[in-house]
Amino acid sequence: MIIGVPKETFPGEQRVALIPASIAALTKVKAEVVIEAGAGYAAGFSDASYKEKGARIVAQRAELFASADVILQVRGPGANAEAGPADLPLLRSGQLLIAFLDPLGSPSSVPPLAQRGVTALSMELMPRITRAQSMDALSSMATVAGYKAVLQAAQTSSHMFPMMMTAAGTIAPARILIIGVGVSGLQAIATARRLGAVVTAYDIRPAVKEQVKSLGASFLELPLETGGAEDTGGYAKAMGGEFYARQREMMAKAIAASDVVICTATVPGKRAPVLVNEEMVKGMAPGSIIVDLAAEGGGNCALTKPNRTITAHGVTIMGPVNLAATIPYHASQMYAKNIATFLLHLINKEGALQLKPEDEIVAGTLLTTGGEVVHPRVRELLGLSPAPAATG
């Protein structure tokens, strides 16, 4: 089996799908790893470091795709709208592709993979079950994003975060509100607390209250009916328009009292809910900061501009996109562990790929096989009838 790792082509993407330290586990199952020249440079991994671990370096992208049985990427077609389609002609029937593919956000990108005969598995769709915890790349990247969001806020803010006793008197700590307590929100809480800020967090899922308190933050409780706010996978579910309107009304006071607001609320496959409207921005003190980690999904703040930093009503609103790629060394380290563990899960004792349709991990991530789109939710988004059961 030959595993190919091409250089990422998404604008600004600095991560790489495999790092040198991941190669040993794959060569143990008699796989050969082929790396496109320069694929790891932006993340801090030289071609020489891959060679030292037994990988083969190829100069031409087409050569890598032609020789590989398995392609591992960070952003494949669908998650790389600009440059991803250029790889489609390089993919061939029977080839296995594992990557972030954004099938729920851009379902129209999935049928071309099926037409090429590719067996595609999406890292975004990894089920949140105990067996798949070490393969959960979304959580890994959210950890990086939550950490970096706080650093960006601290660098931009007009406030110092910790309380300080100075010759000029006591400086009060910055007040930070985290909206959305998923993995990125929890990491943002932990990072802000390490920097000495006073942190409050809010989430529509009441179950996260104890997690928030365990990190030393306060939990903002709003008298809202939140039953059914969490799906079986642990993700937040979209609520109705009336719910969000009441939520914004009740949250306005907490936002106005905050020096920094970090928004992280996303719903897989749907537009991010607008939780901070323009009136709420107007209520914030001049010099306040909003970091909107939901920018790529439309933003939790009504004024957010994806991949831009703007100032509105004296408030700086940051809409970072692909924030994990700005810390590429450790983001790549985490992603490589996730994707290598996933691939090894698909390899049997004889060293051959074996996709078992009854396996919850395979069933949850499999998008295309045998020339068909097989994932039920993606088929529904495409307006297709239910597919017959996939076979391994």
Side-chain angles (χ1 to χ4, degrees):
M1 184 193 309
I2 299 177
I3 300 166
V5 179
K7 188 175 182 178
E8 296 296 318
T9 57
F10 183 80
E13 183 57 73
Q14 301 183 85
R15 293 169 292 178
V16 63
L18 276 186
I19 66 171
S22 304
I23 294 173
L26 299 173
T27 55
K28 280 183 181 178
V29 295
K30 300 180 181 178
E32 179 186 359
V33 178
V34 180
I35 308 287
E36 184 180 358
Y41 278 167
F45 305 102
S46 67
D47 289 348
S49 66
Y50 284 103
K51 286 182 180 179
E52 288 172 6
K53 296 297 183 179
R56 178 163 58 92
I57 307 298
V58 297
Q60 300 300 320
R61 192 176 188 86
E63 179 186 351
L64 181 141
F65 274 83
S67 64
D69 303 299
V70 178
I71 297 292
L72 303 181
Q73 289 182 286
V74 178
R75 284 181 174 261
N80 184 4
E82 291 183 33
D87 285 337
L88 284 173
L90 302 179
L91 292 163
R92 67 176 188 276
S93 180
Q95 204 165 36
L96 183 71
L97 170 66
I98 307 177
F100 284 130
L101 298 168
D102 193 23
L104 303 182
S106 55
S108 62
S109 66
V110 179
L113 292 172
Q115 291 161 13
R116 297 293 299 176
V118 175
T119 298
L121 296 109
S122 173
M123 293 298 286
E124 291 99 330
L125 300 178
M126 189 64 64
R128 284 196 162 176
I129 58 176
T130 302
R131 288 193 304 122
Q133 204 165 37
S134 59
M135 311 171 201
D136 187 357
L138 273 184
S139 291
S140 294
M141 298 304 100
T143 296
V144 180
Y147 166 79
K148 188 60 180 285
V150 174
L151 298 188
Q152 286 194 342
Q155 185 177 31
T156 307
S157 178
S158 58
H159 292 67
M160 289 190 288
F161 276 23
M163 182 178 73
M164 292 186 181
M165 307 297 290
T166 76
T170 301
I171 295 175
R175 295 159 299 177
I176 298 181
L177 174 64
I178 312 290
I179 303 176
V181 189
V183 176
S184 58
L186 288 169
Q187 187 57 234
I189 293 169
T191 304
R193 289 287 298 136
R194 289 188 196 106
L195 292 178
V198 173
V199 183
T200 302
Y202 171 75
D203 196 289
I204 63 173
R205 298 166 297 174
V208 304
K209 178 178 178 179
E210 293 307 313
Q211 293 175 296
V212 169
K213 289 189 171 183
S214 72
L215 292 172
S218 300
F219 187 73
L220 176 63
E221 298 196 57
L222 303 180
L224 292 167
E225 175 53 52
T226 57
E230 185 173 356
D231 66 17
T232 55
Y235 293 98
K237 290 173 63 176
M239 305 294 278
E242 183 179 347
F243 175 91
Y244 287 123
R246 290 185 61 218
Q247 183 185 64
R248 287 191 293 268
E249 181 182 346
M250 294 179 182
M251 200 181 293
K253 184 176 179 180
I255 290 174
S258 301
D259 304 307
V260 174
V261 174
I262 297 177
C263 306
T264 75
T266 60
V267 180
K270 297 183 182 294
R271 191 204 183 284
V274 176
L275 306 177
V276 182
N277 60 24
E278 187 169 4
E279 285 303 310
M280 296 160 84
V281 175
K282 288 180 180 178
M284 298 179 74
S288 299
I289 306 287
I290 295 175
V291 183
D292 195 343
L293 293 185
E296 197 165 2
N300 294 146
C301 176
L303 304 181
T304 296
K305 303 294 181 185
N307 216 23
R308 288 179 56 193
T309 296
I310 66 169
T311 300
H313 310 296
V315 177
T316 299
I317 303 171
M318 308 170 76
V321 171
N322 202 25
L323 201 52
T326 64
I327 308 182
Y329 182 87
H330 284 116
S332 297
Q333 184 182 74
M334 297 166 76
Y335 184 77
K337 178 64 174 179
N338 296 145
I339 201 168
T341 303
F342 183 26
L343 179 57
L344 289 169
H345 176 75
L346 306 176
I347 297 174
N348 63 23
K349 293 179 180 179
E350 289 72 41
L353 285 167
Q354 186 176 24
L355 274 63
K356 299 177 181 179
E358 69 276 11
D359 182 354
E360 190 175 357
I361 294 172
V362 172
T365 56
L366 187 62
L367 289 180
T368 64
T369 190
E372 297 285 341
V373 177
V374 297
H375 194 277
R377 189 168 176 189
V378 178
R379 287 185 67 87
E380 182 181 351
L381 290 171
L382 292 169
L384 301 175
S385 60
T391 57

